[in-house]
Amino acid sequence: MAAIEILGLEKTYMVGFWRKRPKRALQPLHLTVEEGEIFGFLGPNGAGKTTTLKMLMGLVFPTSGTARILGHEWTDPEIKAQIGFLPEQPYFYDYLTAHELLDYYGQLSGVPAKDRKRRVEEVLQRVGLTDIQGVQLRKFSKGMLQRAGIAQAILHNPKLVFFDEPMSGLDPLGRREVRDLMEQLKQEGKTVFFSTHILSDAEALCDRVAIIYKGELRGVGAVEDLTSTVQGKVEVVWQGTQIPASMKALGAECHVTGDTVRAVLAENQQDAAIDALRREHIRLIAITPLRTSLEAYFVEKLQPSQAASAGKTVGTAV
Amino acid sequence: MSPRIIQIAANTFREAVRDRVLYNLIAFALLLSGAAIFVGQISIDIERLVVVDLGLTAVSLFGVVIAIFIGIGLVSKEIEKRTLYTVLSRPVRRWEFIVGKFFGLAGTLVVNTFFMAIGVFGALFYVAHKFSKPDALILVALYFIVLEFLIICSLALLFSSFSSPLLSAVFAFSLFVIGSFAEDLRGFAGLAHGVTRWFATAAAYLVPNFSALNVISAAAHEQPLSSQLILHNTLYALFYTAMALSGAVLIFERRNLK
Ligand SMILES: Nc1ncnc2c1ncn2[C@@H]1O[C@H](COP(=O)(O)OP(=O)(O)O)[C@@H](O)[C@H]1O
Ligand SMILES: [Mg+2]
């Protein structure tokens, strides 16, 4: 069973105070997220990620389309007991302490009274919020709010979590911890769906990603496939700054960085390259098949229809 | 009733307490004791009347101000601050949220009124040195005041579900003032002609009839109140409140959160 099936969700906001005009935030989106995977929803700011998540949470109503979550209609309130949601830049009742907030949310999510205290302590530990007994949320820093937000999303032990920009507002150590936490959630068999505009977070973490730009889905796939080996190229790295003439003859593009040289050349020249280095008694460090980075894929996906949509705008303006 | 409604109501009450809403009781106590001591000194047989009239009027006004000022933010503030996101992404129905908020605010006002009522009876005892049978009328007047609060809470919530706090406050206060003259308005409507009459009558019956709920003067002058009035007012207030709350739910159910 798929954890999330988005069936053509689409959103057009009406903007403007006086004469309202439509603004398309999301084109009809079709997307399936399998159970147990970490799925990255990538896109630059304003791409429509938050809009999609808010529709899935029932906070904003789609212009058209439906979705299924954990096999149920997405509007079924009962499935909400099995999902957790971290909003973008979360904000909470600031007159409560984190313990009170989580206790209240535990009640609303139907966590039995006898388990609640223990669960609250557990999740606060887990997100690294300690020494906050008696501190009202109004005194929390941005990073602490983010941690509290993650705590409330996993409090009721949901099967599926939605995180909107989970690393934002965190320092490098905090990002690392959140990454580890998402990996643990996956190990516990949970499905993680998170949005981000930071590619390195996604590349390190995701099983699959979708790329969305200007409300339009531009690509979906396993990270491994998207960062697939570039047709028949290898990267050869050796020690020193010396570039043998025979290497150049093989058609290698060489770059010296510090006291190593990186050369990119055709895979079928690999053996010849090794021989060339041996002859010169140069120490070989690594040979790896060349992969495109997720970033390269991402940029590529944003390019073509940037032009296309520019064309469209001109077209409609005429 | 779903446990979530009670949980939301309890949290709303807790918010009011933490926001120091109950501190108004201090101002109320000062006002009332000042008045009691003052009339106690001039003492010309109207102490009871003054204390009851002034005390109950203050109970009503303090409560109305609190009901409006909290009520107008109950929904819009939560949308504005986005505290609703993590509530509505739980198994909470939107109508439960509205109803829970209503009970939380109504509960706050009932508790507040309870303490004020103790104050009124205290002041009464101070000036009259005893309680007499007509004092039971004060209880009826207090009951009607609470009914009035229910209506105002539901109206403030209704406005809060679609407009900004400022506009909601304006709407709610206007309705409170107009509603306090509802009987007069009905009278005027009867004098008009044609389409005007039709509209005036509709308006007069649409605004909450707070004049019927105001028996402060009767209680002060020890005029008897019929049980029929009590029944009628109870049904009216419950019906009006239910209607306003249903309106709030209908609007909120369709609302896109910011
Ligand atoms: N409430 C709203 N009213 C009008 N436009 C909106 C609203 N929310 C978002 N948008 C617009 O929809 C687009 C997508 O926004 P969003 O989903 O927040 O993007 P992301 O989360 O990917 O940064 C943006 O162009 C944004 O300006
Ligand atoms: Mg966003």
Side-chain angles (χ1 to χ4, degrees):
Chain A
M1 186 185 67
I4 311 169
E5 285 171 273
I6 301 176
L7 309 164
L9 280 186
E10 170 190 2
K11 181 70 187 178
T12 303
Y13 286 108
M14 296 308 283
V15 293
F17 183 72
W18 189 239
R19 204 174 301 162
K20 304 254 186 212
R21 58 205 154 71
K23 177 171 195 311
R24 196 74 168 288
L26 190 69
Q27 314 264 6
L29 174 69
H30 294 268
L31 196 62
T32 303
V33 175
E34 296 302 329
E35 246 175 277
E37 68 180 350
I38 301 186
F39 192 96
F41 196 42
L42 315 184
N45 290 321
K49 306 182 294 293
T50 299
T51 301
T52 306
L53 283 168
K54 288 207 287 199
M55 285 195 287
L56 288 173
M57 290 302 114
L59 302 172
V60 157
F61 300 106
T63 309
S64 69
T66 62
R68 294 181 73 75
I69 294 179
L70 298 169
H72 296 262
E73 258 322 287
W74 97 112
T75 44
D76 177 357
E78 286 312 319
I79 54 154
K80 299 251 179 86
Q82 296 176 36
I83 64 186
F85 175 50
L86 166 73
E88 189 174 25
Q89 294 168 8
Y91 194 78
F92 307 105
Y93 299 113
D94 55 12
Y95 52 90
L96 299 181
T97 66
H99 286 83
E100 288 168 339
L101 180 84
L102 293 180
D103 186 66
Y104 175 44
Y105 281 177
Q107 292 174 3
L108 292 181
S109 285
V111 178
K114 63 178 172 38
D115 301 337
R116 227 155 39 225
K117 206 165 167 351
R118 184 179 49 79
R119 278 299 299 171
V120 169
E121 284 302 334
E122 263 173 30
V123 292
L124 284 173
Q125 279 280 324
R126 203 160 168 191
V127 299
L129 273 179
T130 47
D131 293 331
I132 45 145
Q133 196 91 41
V135 180
Q136 290 190 343
L137 286 153
R138 67 176 95 235
K139 305 240 166 65
F140 273 36
S141 70
K142 198 160 177 292
M144 288 163 81
L145 280 177
Q146 190 74 15
R147 286 167 194 259
I150 295 170
Q152 63 81 31
I154 58 174
L155 170 70
H156 45 294
N157 197 20
K159 280 191 191 149
L160 165 63
V161 291
F162 295 87
F163 290 159
D164 198 355
E165 307 274 359
M167 326 287 194
S168 80
L170 296 172
D171 55 28
L173 189 67
R175 304 172 88 87
R176 171 92 242 168
E177 286 170 4
V178 171
R179 231 191 254 180
D180 291 347
L181 183 122
M182 287 205 262
E183 240 145 35
Q184 286 163 19
L185 291 176
K186 178 187 153 116
Q187 254 135 50
E188 291 164 20
K190 303 186 192 316
T191 311
V192 180
F193 181 89
F194 78 103
S195 83
T196 182
H197 61 276
I198 300 164
L199 295 170
S200 55
D201 289 339
E203 190 162 9
L205 205 57
C206 294
D207 298 305
R208 291 195 308 140
V209 295
I211 291 172
I212 173 173
Y213 181 59
K214 291 192 174 168
E216 193 189 336
L217 188 67
R218 290 294 171 83
V220 194
V223 172
E224 284 154 22
D225 298 342
L226 301 185
T227 61
S228 62
T229 51
V230 172
Q231 275 307 313
K233 294 235 172 175
V234 289
E235 185 185 54
V236 182
V237 184
W238 66 85
Q239 195 148 43
T241 52
Q242 187 191 354
I243 303 173
S246 49
M247 272 311 252
K248 286 197 184 131
L250 295 172
E253 295 168 40
C254 304
H255 298 278
V256 183
T257 41
D259 63 345
T260 56
V261 181
R262 295 169 183 275
V264 175
L265 56 136
E267 201 172 9
N268 54 15
Q269 304 283 26
Q270 183 178 320
D271 291 339
I274 296 170
D275 291 341
L277 293 177
R278 279 221 184 103
R279 274 198 300 277
E280 306 282 334
H281 302 288
I282 292 172
R283 197 167 146 239
L284 179 66
I285 296 176
I287 299 178
T288 41
L290 196 66
R291 287 176 167 268
T292 43
S293 67
L294 189 57
E295 187 175 312
Y297 176 78
F298 186 76
V299 170
E300 177 203 313
K301 283 294 165 190
L302 302 199
Q303 290 315 344
S305 37
Q306 226 159 3
S309 65
K312 245 182 262 163
T313 328
V314 173
T316 48
V318 172
Chain B
M1 191 156 74
S2 116
R4 291 179 293 268
I5 293 178
I6 299 163
Q7 290 150 2
I8 291 167
N11 191 50
T12 306
F13 181 78
R14 177 163 58 178
E15 176 174 8
V17 171
R18 297 239 169 127
D19 283 347
R20 303 184 172 85
V21 167
L22 298 180
Y23 279 22
N24 80 92
L25 289 170
I26 297 172
F28 179 81
L30 288 176
L31 178 82
L32 203 64
S33 40
I37 291 166
F38 181 70
V39 296
Q41 274 164 3
I42 54 168
S43 177
I44 35 168
D45 241 31
I46 55 157
E47 304 99 328
R48 184 186 179 280
L49 192 142
V50 172
V51 164
V52 172
D53 205 336
L54 185 102
L56 290 180
T57 304
V59 171
S60 165
L61 287 182
F62 273 62
V64 166
V65 169
I66 294 172
I68 292 180
F69 274 99
I70 303 182
I72 54 170
L74 280 184
V75 179
S76 48
K77 203 179 73 193
E78 294 229 6
I79 293 180
E80 203 54 40
K81 288 192 167 177
R82 294 178 290 115
T83 44
L84 255 179
Y85 287 10
T86 40
V87 173
L88 292 185
S89 56
R90 299 183 185 279
V92 175
R93 281 64 160 172
R94 287 189 178 207
W95 69 266
E96 293 174 341
F97 178 77
I98 296 283
V99 174
K101 283 276 164 186
F102 170 78
F103 280 118
L105 178 53
T108 309
L109 285 160
V110 167
V111 169
N112 201 55
T113 309
F114 175 76
F115 287 117
M116 286 184 167
I118 293 177
V120 171
F121 279 106
L124 185 62
F125 192 77
Y126 174 83
V127 295
H129 308 294
K130 62 175 170 46
F131 289 126
S132 52
K133 194 149 171 271
D135 293 343
L137 289 171
I138 298 173
L139 289 176
V140 178
L142 283 166
Y143 171 64
F144 285 181
I145 288 173
V146 169
L147 292 181
E148 174 185 59
F149 293 164
L150 296 186
I151 295 179
I152 294 182
C153 288
S154 64
L155 283 173
L157 253 170
L158 171 65
F159 297 136
S160 180
S161 66
F162 65 86
S163 81
S164 71
L166 186 66
L167 271 182
S168 304
V170 173
F171 290 150
F173 267 114
S174 313
L175 269 190
F176 169 64
V177 173
I178 300 171
S180 302
F181 298 104
E183 303 275 21
D184 299 333
L185 210 60
R186 290 176 189 189
F188 285 136
L191 301 177
H193 297 284
V195 186
T196 324
R197 182 190 185 118
W198 201 86
F199 273 112
T201 311
Y205 281 88
L206 215 56
V207 297
N209 185 355
F210 293 135
S211 30
L213 287 168
N214 186 344
V215 294
I216 293 176
S217 160
H221 289 98
E222 306 184 21
Q223 293 157 357
L225 296 167
S226 71
S227 52
Q228 188 152 22
L229 180 72
I230 298 178
L231 180 70
H232 182 264
N233 274 349
T234 303
L235 293 178
Y236 176 79
L238 293 184
F239 178 74
Y240 203 99
T241 302
M243 283 297 144
L245 275 186
S246 309
V249 168
L250 279 178
I251 293 169
F252 188 59
E253 289 278 359
R254 282 162 181 68
R255 208 170 152 181
N256 281 312
L257 301 193
K258 187 171 75 88

